[in-house]
DNA sequence: TTGTACGCGTTATCAG
DNA sequence: CTGATAACGCGTACAA
């Protein structure tokens, strides 16, 4: 018989405490608690009874050690839990939680040294995988894991390493979707007000816009594309400029809901009716902005919650040894509200609570 | 000599791999790597050299097991990483990361069963402490940890258990601060447009408003307090009602920035000048709303980032055995922008990047 | 100066 | 049916 320490009051009970209290060996206790082996029902029951009385809870640290698997993943974010990270994280956590995985939260806030420390810590904690997230889709430096074979996945960001798996929204498709929605609504002179060109998302959304125009034999008014900061003020300013020049425009596709809101405010205050005179489509489906705009914004949703869930699922696949790599794009969807009028061709309209309304 | 398994290619190197490669025993390797014991400098150096070549990284799971401490805490959130959780989480992660603690992220999304599963998981993973967060400050059911002595702390939420430590913003002080700011700016007929009364925060902010009026011998116009949903639309509607009734009002204290924005929009569209005719103060300092309002909102900041950091620090204290309990309130601060005019008595004005401007 | 042996909490295997 | 033992990866007294 091994030496067994007394149960000091506030100590977390171990399986040995259970075994001793039940008058069996540690091995037997283990089997009883895990439903393994051949045990007399009475023994099994007694052990389980005692375990629950003692508040015994198996130590995951040890299990991880034994199984060589921690059921834990690391989530590295450079977006301070902002607009994009939030739905992503939610989707990731939902999917991972269902698979009994836990998530280590790491906010690197664009600081490489801090990111490095987090990586080291995650590896030391033997996470089974890592998801990297960002606030923009542009390529970033790959994370160097050394020789360690921990699966890694980039979500809402990407890296040049061809072996890396990167999940991104299809911003070109999103831009095309928005523009075609306007075209189907009968609009022919569509302007695009968007963010800084240094953002990949800006360039891709614009290419979708241009592709849609071309596919329908339309030309952009000139200037067709106005790039500026990601702000309401810019949307307001850009629209004011358009109206001052008395440019003939019947629709605006905005690169973000914030820009769209500024645009709609400017239109309204200049006496231009939305959507009758000028229809507007935004981007992001940021409820707090989109739903509060008057009229509420028709906008593009990047399905980030879904993308997060997908990221989690794919990471679990990588952990299970399924090979996967490359940059993968996932479609955006259009959320129809009032800023673009209504039309038979609209996709399913959803109320704020997420349930289909018809 | 113990049996040592061969280094299979993708296996994470253990201290035994290092020891074998260096031609020393495991014990010696351990000492060399930890700077313990008396070793020849050459041996120490050689072991360290080899360890780094192999990419050896001590297994935290084991260290946790040995030290009976995991340097890990659980963060339970019922707010889906929304507006309040985000700054809180950031503050928590910042402070905890500095102390070399890692954070397990748990989104309970108001589902008790899910919360229970998370708690069980955290306890199994032997977290050293738990922080509970929410999207509102109202009391919630205490978390039942059974007999386990894991420290727990409630941040931006509270529970009735007198032994629990709960950290909250001082909403009464915030309401008072906002109102006194308006009074100091010379306003005498101040209305309060706020959220649903079932929110504790609403009742507290209102009590601060009333206390400030009383302290300065002012009376609220009637009706002085208008409660409605937490939305821009409500702010807009409430102001429209006030203007229709031609009520004499020279200032509005709003219970949230969203309400304030709706209010300011309504005022502007009715031709009322802000702040000249009616001054407005918001609540939350939600940049994306407050800074985009025209004019930008003077508002109350609950210092949630700081509160998060404090929560982390206090939790570390609890973990170290320092007793602490009760509901503790921390002051809000006023952020001066344009919606209330300027005044000599303003507190430090801050630019968007957080650095003082003067 | 270096090696040995034990313990941390648990599971699995094999002997009894 | 039950118990003993090895193994997981590491730190640390203690022996050599």
């Amino acid at each position: 018989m091994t030496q067994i320490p007394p149960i000091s009051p506030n100590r977390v009970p171990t399986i040995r405490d259970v075994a001793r209290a039940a008058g069996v060996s540690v091995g037997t206790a283990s089997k009883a608690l895990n439903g393994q082996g051949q045990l007399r029902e009475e023994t099994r029951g007694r052990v389980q009874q005692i375990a629950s009385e003692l508040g015994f809870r198996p130590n995951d640290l040890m299990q991880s050690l034994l199984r060589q698997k921690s059921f834990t993943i690391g989530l590295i974010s450079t977006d301070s839990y902002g607009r994009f990270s939030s739905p992503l994280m939610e989707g990731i956590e939902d999917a991972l939680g269902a698979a009994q995985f836990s998530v280590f939260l790491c906010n690197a806030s664009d600081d490489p040294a801090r990111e490095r420390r987090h990586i080291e810590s995650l590896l030391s904690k033997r996470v089974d995988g890592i998801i990297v997230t960002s606030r923009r889709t542009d390529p970033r430096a790959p994370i160097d894991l050394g020789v360690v074979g921990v699966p890694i996945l980039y979500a809402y960001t990407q890296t040049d390493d061809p072996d890396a798996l990167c999940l991104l929204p299809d911003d070109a498709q999103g831009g095309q979707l928005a523009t075609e929605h306007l075209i189907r609504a009968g609009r022919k002179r569509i302007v695009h007000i968007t963010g800084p060109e240094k953002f990949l998302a800006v360039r891709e959304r614009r290419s979708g816009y241009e592709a849609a125009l071309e596919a329908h034999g339309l030309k952009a008014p000139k200037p067709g594309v106005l790039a500026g900061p990601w702000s309401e003020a810019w949307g307001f300013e850009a629209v004011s400029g358009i109206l001052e020049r008395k440019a003939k425009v019947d629709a605006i596709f905005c690169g973000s809901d914030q820009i769209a809101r500024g645009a709609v405010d400017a239109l309204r205050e200049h006496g231009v009716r939305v959507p009758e005179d000028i229809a507007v489509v935004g981007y992001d489906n940021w409820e707090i902005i989109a739903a509060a705009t008057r009229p509420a914004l028709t906008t593009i949703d990047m399905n980030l919650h879904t993308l997060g869930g997908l990221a989690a699922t794919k990471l679990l696949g990588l952990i299970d040894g399924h090979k996967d790599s490359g940059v993968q794009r996932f479609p955006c969807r259009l959320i129809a509200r009032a800023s673009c009028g209504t039309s038979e061709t609209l996709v399913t309209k959803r109320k704020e609570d997420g349930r289909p309304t018809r």
Side-chain angles (χ1 to χ4, degrees), chain A residues 11 15 18 74 102 107-108 112 120 137 160 176 185 218 229 235 253 275 279 290 326 330 355:
Chain A
R11 203 167 54 70
I15 198 172
V18 175
S102 295
N107 181 19
E120 295 296 332
T137 56
D160 290 328
Q176 186 149 8
L218 294 177
F253 164 39
F330 296 89
R355 289 181 307 207

Side-chain angles (χ1 to χ4, degrees), chain A residues 8 10 14 27 60 76 88-89 91 110 164 215 232-233 239 241 287 292 325:
Chain A
S8 72
N10 267 345
T14 75
D60 270 3
I76 302 213
L88 265 175
M89 284 168 55
D110 290 316
E232 284 189 40
V239 161
E287 281 276 339
S325 67

Side-chain angles (χ1 to χ4, degrees), chain A residues 13-27:
Chain A
T14 75
I15 198 172
R16 279 175 23 216
D17 299 321
V18 175
R20 190 174 39 159
V24 298
S25 75
V26 173

Side-chain angles (χ1 to χ4, degrees), chain A residues 296-310:
Chain A
L297 291 175
T298 288
T299 186
I300 299 297
D301 188 311
M302 292 185 283
N303 292 320
L304 292 181
H305 185 99
T306 306
L307 192 71
L310 213 53

Side-chain angles (χ1 to χ4, degrees), chain A residues 84 88 132-138 154-158 166-169 171 201 205 284 302 304 307:
Chain A
F84 303 124
L88 265 175
V132 183
T133 282
S134 176
R135 75 173 133 249
R136 45 190 290 190
T137 56
D138 300 72
Y154 298 79
Y156 205 79
T157 182
Q158 57 177 316
C166 309
L167 270 39
L168 292 172
D171 275 322
R205 290 167 196 178
D284 290 342
M302 292 185 283
L304 292 181
L307 192 71

Side-chain angles (χ1 to χ4, degrees), chain A residues 15 58-70:
Chain A
I15 198 172
N59 188 330
D60 270 3
L61 298 174
M62 185 48 59
Q63 310 228 2
S64 301
L65 213 51
L66 242 31
R67 304 203 164 112
Q68 308 271 52
K69 177 162 175 177
S70 64

